[in-house]
Amino acid sequence: MDYKSVIAENISKVTELPEDQIFKLIETPPQKDLGDFAFPCFILAKSLHKAPAMISEELAGNESLTYNGMFSVKNAGPYLNFYIDRSNYAADTITRINEAGDKFGAAEDGKGQNVIVEFSSPNIAKPFHVGHAFTTILGNSLSRIYDRLGYNVIRMNHLGDYGTQFGKLITAYRLWGDKDALDNDPITELLRIYVKFHEEAKKDPSLDDTARENFKKLEDGCPEEVELWQKFRDMSLVVFNKLYDRMGVAFDNYNGESFYSDKIPAVVDMLKSKNLLVESEGAQVVMLDEYKLPPCIILKSDGTTIYASRDLAAVLYRKETYDFNKNIYVVGTPQALHFKQVFSVLKKAGYDFADDCVHVGFGLVKFKDMVFSTREGNIVLLEDLLDAAVAKTREVIEENAKQRGQDMSEEEISDIAEKVGIGAVIYTYVKSGREKDIVFSWEEMLNFNGNSAPYLMYTYARIRSIMRKAKDAGLTPSSDTEVLGTLTGDDAYSVISALSGFEADVKKAAAVYEPFIISRSLFETASAFNSFYNNCRILGDDIDVKDSEARLALCEAVANVLKSGLYLLGIETVERM
Ligand code: ARG
């Protein structure tokens, strides 16, 4: 529950306008004397055949809109203004948050509904670069958000582990592979021989024929080829899993492209039986003119399958296996056309669950003040970015500890640097709308006073430190409604209004697949809290115990929301830093 939703719900009951429509119309007035929320009544004029000002006057007299005294309601011209009772507001918000603890925001909206989140999906034998990190971080966050809202989430990693390039790799490995190098650093070695293959094939085109034959053998299940492919796949996964572990990411399965390859003939048969396959320049395609899209190729002229056919097989398998209510693909925006085609083929074939499939795209990754020695062509590896961020963070943590005279063990510093450094990287991916390109800059990422993970994590750690001091002083956060009701000052009120929006923000983030709605909410909360902290003392001999305990409860609520929200973004908190 948040207040805007409560107001929308109540107005909806009285006016019969849909709640979400009302929710969108509710404004925050520019001046406090006009209330905390305002509803413009223009929308009702037509259906009620009355002037908006008259409608607002009538509504202002309706008892049920006060929500048991939580609001007072006044009309001002065409507006209906809602004034929150700060005392009730404070007590109610803080109590609800602290009762829920660091899982605050959890809901049962998704009970009994299955949601597939497909994310990460790197290509086997290729380096894991900063672009893959975008889908990994976004997908991990969306999975956590849906999970917290009560959906049954299935996390899928649709590995790029199939296709003609594996024929090339097998060929290259037999010719130039170095077993020790493969064991030491599999992806670098696989990339080396893959690049070499392309160089050599320019001089000797017969290599391409060998590669094709080897891929054919792989498709036919010949043991030697399958064994090599399996080895490349397993070794790549070891490397990827290290990164996933480091970032707290996990999957329910790794059914990649290879998994679906034997399910394609059934797709072809289905499309044939529905008369959807036509021949075009030797290939078998589905025409999508009615969707204003280019044809979707199902079988190439040589009869081999392609990316789109594997995706069709995959989505049919997913529907059958998981009976999903929603099937989310977190994949870069350049693949938007591909997904439109796949979903349209489904639709054309009469599968209405096409409408439950969503492509969640995202922008590009750029760098401002960072230089990486790019081991592999022009791409920046995620591992290098993480290592650099952790090293930089470590410098800052060490410096801060020295200045504040904190004594921290080597182990603690390493642990904090790892969590804060990785948090800083993750946060950069989720702090703006996902369609925007992101620009990495050390200055912004590690700014302990700006919109960054270190700032939010530091705010959390600061509260934890206050809590430890309070405990030593024999103080506990209050849970007494009357005591909490004293938190009515402007500073406390700003914190409470930021806190009270969190639940609705989690739902909004899920609805539009935008974790940044949560990061924005956390930044607002942390900023409001830090002003409160600067203006109101929490502990001290000269402070009344009840005041201290009320403020401690507010601190605790902020810590709970920060921890819950950071978790939803994929970021771990630390107890001090
Ligand atoms: N492996 C692909 C790539 O790295 C992404 C796969 C996206 N998922 C899908 N179902 N097609 O570009």
Side-chain angles (χ1 to χ4, degrees):
M1 182 189 78
D2 75 305
Y3 290 86
K4 203 165 151 182
S5 306
V6 169
I7 293 172
E9 193 186 323
N10 284 318
I11 299 178
S12 169
K13 275 188 201 140
V14 180
T15 62
E16 286 170 9
L17 270 186
E19 195 182 317
D20 56 339
Q21 193 181 356
I22 297 171
F23 187 90
K24 281 189 210 134
L25 288 171
I26 296 176
E27 302 167 8
T28 309
Q31 295 145 252
K32 279 275 169 266
D33 58 334
L34 294 175
D36 298 292
F37 298 101
F39 175 68
C41 296
F42 304 101
I43 184 112
L44 293 163
K46 211 172 185 180
S47 57
L48 296 177
H49 303 290
K50 276 183 202 165
M54 201 164 178
I55 300 170
S56 87
E57 191 180 333
E58 281 173 19
L59 287 175
N62 192 318
E63 224 354 83
S64 72
L65 291 183
T66 70
Y67 197 62
N68 301 327
M70 188 72 86
F71 310 106
S72 54
V73 187
K74 289 186 199 145
N75 58 303
Y79 285 88
L80 194 59
N81 295 337
F82 291 78
Y83 299 77
I84 290 171
D85 178 316
R86 286 194 180 185
S87 217
N88 279 338
Y89 189 36
D92 179 67
T93 306
I94 295 172
T95 305
R96 282 187 307 109
I97 295 174
N98 290 346
E99 273 172 13
D102 60 17
K103 304 276 183 307
F104 181 64
E108 305 220 325
D109 302 29
K111 210 170 170 193
Q113 292 193 51
N114 299 329
V115 171
I116 292 179
V117 183
E118 185 218 284
F119 64 106
S120 201
S121 311
N123 296 328
I124 289 298
K126 292 269 173 66
F128 198 103
H129 58 74
V130 291
H132 291 126
F134 212 150
T135 145
T136 308
I137 288 163
L138 207 51
N140 184 47
S141 174
L142 290 174
S143 312
R144 289 183 178 195
I145 294 169
Y146 274 93
D147 183 68
R148 185 142 292 173
L149 292 176
Y151 293 87
N152 177 30
V153 178
I154 303 113
R155 295 158 163 89
M156 299 189 87
N157 193 334
H158 188 83
L159 291 176
D161 60 358
Y162 217 60
T164 44
Q165 69 270 32
F166 290 94
K168 295 178 188 172
L169 269 182
I170 291 169
T171 310
Y173 186 70
R174 284 179 177 154
L175 289 169
W176 313 294
D178 173 342
K179 194 177 169 305
D180 289 338
L182 187 70
D183 288 338
N184 278 333
D185 186 355
I187 297 202
T188 305
E189 172 63 1
L190 290 170
L191 192 70
R192 180 187 71 82
I193 59 173
Y194 190 67
V195 170
K196 187 166 172 74
F197 179 91
H198 284 273
E199 284 163 11
E200 298 293 327
K202 267 187 224 145
K203 293 178 247 162
D204 174 8
S206 77
L207 281 172
D208 280 317
D209 299 327
T210 316
R212 249 189 302 276
E213 279 159 29
N214 282 333
F215 180 59
K216 179 92 180 56
K217 283 189 190 158
L218 177 63
E219 280 208 293
D220 293 343
C222 294
E224 282 162 37
E225 283 70 23
V226 171
E227 195 189 318
L228 264 185
W229 167 84
Q230 187 71 47
K231 185 171 163 145
F232 299 156
R233 187 180 190 276
D234 291 348
M235 290 180 129
S236 304
L237 268 181
V238 170
V239 177
F240 298 159
N241 277 324
K242 244 190 241 155
L243 285 166
Y244 294 145
D245 280 350
R246 210 172 164 193
M247 295 197 295
V249 172
F251 295 94
D252 294 299
N253 74 57
Y254 295 83
N255 290 347
E257 294 185 37
S258 67
F259 179 83
Y260 302 103
S261 68
D262 66 355
K263 299 171 179 58
I264 292 174
V267 175
V268 175
D269 289 347
M270 177 275 290
L271 294 172
K272 261 189 202 142
S273 73
K274 295 185 177 173
N275 286 324
L276 297 180
L277 273 192
V278 290
E279 198 177 311
S280 165
E281 293 164 29
Q284 297 287 319
V285 307
V286 176
M287 300 305 289
L288 296 173
D289 299 302
E290 63 271 52
Y291 301 94
K292 299 200 170 52
L293 294 172
C296 182
I297 304 176
I298 305 296
L299 291 174
K300 286 196 278 192
S301 50
D302 61 3
T304 52
T305 64
I306 65 161
Y307 191 51
S309 30
R310 290 193 279 272
D311 258 323
L312 279 167
V315 69
L316 291 168
Y317 174 86
R318 289 179 188 179
K319 184 65 192 173
E320 203 175 285
T321 312
Y322 301 104
D323 192 23
F324 59 75
N325 296 82
K326 216 188 252 284
N327 177 28
I328 299 171
Y329 297 84
V330 187
V331 183
T333 304
Q335 294 195 29
L337 175 63
H338 163 75
F339 285 107
K340 275 190 198 143
Q341 289 178 303
V342 170
F343 303 161
S344 300
V345 171
L346 283 180
K347 194 93 182 157
K348 191 162 176 171
Y351 296 108
D352 283 337
F353 63 78
D355 296 332
D356 304 324
C357 296
V358 196
H359 170 220
V360 171
F362 50 83
L364 301 173
V365 181
K366 296 174 181 163
F367 294 89
K368 197 168 164 189
D369 54 3
M370 306 181 184
V371 188
F372 289 92
S373 60
T374 44
R375 283 184 263 169
E376 340 276 10
N378 263 331
I379 54 174
V380 176
L381 299 189
L382 175 62
E383 197 187 355
D384 291 346
L385 175 63
L386 294 181
D387 287 345
V390 171
K392 284 256 178 205
T393 306
R394 198 188 166 87
E395 287 169 22
V396 182
I397 302 283
E398 276 172 346
E399 183 56 33
N400 285 353
K402 212 189 309 164
Q403 272 181 20
R404 296 193 205 115
Q406 279 169 312
D407 84 284
M408 283 190 186
S409 67
E410 190 57 27
E411 204 187 332
E412 189 177 2
I413 290 181
S414 298
D415 180 59
I416 296 172
E418 174 81 6
K419 286 180 181 146
V420 177
I422 289 178
V425 172
I426 293 180
Y427 194 78
T428 307
Y429 283 96
V430 292
K431 84 170 201 191
S432 320
R434 60 183 158 80
E435 306 271 6
K436 289 210 184 102
D437 292 348
I438 40 176
V439 184
F440 271 98
S441 132
W442 291 129
E443 206 180 298
E444 277 174 46
M445 266 169 90
L446 300 180
N447 181 353
F448 278 51
N449 296 308
N451 187 6
S452 69
Y455 174 68
L456 300 177
M457 295 171 85
Y458 180 64
T459 305
Y460 176 83
R462 168 181 268 173
I463 295 175
R464 301 299 297 158
S465 139
I466 297 170
M467 292 299 175
R468 287 189 293 269
K469 282 192 196 127
K471 201 172 165 205
D472 291 344
L475 295 166
T476 39
S478 174
S479 55
D480 181 324
T481 316
E482 237 163 78
V483 174
L484 297 176
T486 60
L487 290 164
T488 54
D490 284 347
D491 287 311
Y493 177 73
S494 298
V495 180
I496 289 159
S497 39
L499 288 171
S500 76
F502 182 75
E503 285 164 301
D505 284 338
V506 175
K507 293 185 188 190
K508 242 185 274 165
V512 296
Y513 317 103
E514 282 284 20
F516 108 90
I517 292 177
I518 294 177
S519 62
R520 188 178 61 186
S521 180
L522 296 183
F523 182 56
E524 190 192 332
T525 298
S527 309
F529 173 77
N530 285 312
S531 310
F532 168 81
Y533 178 80
N534 288 331
N535 297 334
C536 308
R537 284 175 53 226
I538 296 163
L539 304 173
D541 293 338
D542 51 336
I543 300 173
D544 183 76
V545 170
K546 285 214 169 95
D547 284 340
S548 264
E549 297 198 329
R551 290 171 192 169
L552 283 170
L554 182 62
C555 291
E556 190 181 318
V558 171
N560 280 328
V561 164
L562 286 177
K563 185 159 186 172
S564 173
L566 285 169
Y567 169 83
L568 294 178
L569 299 176
I571 299 172
E572 244 188 289
T573 46
V574 293
E575 294 298 299
R576 66 173 192 161
M577 61 186 268

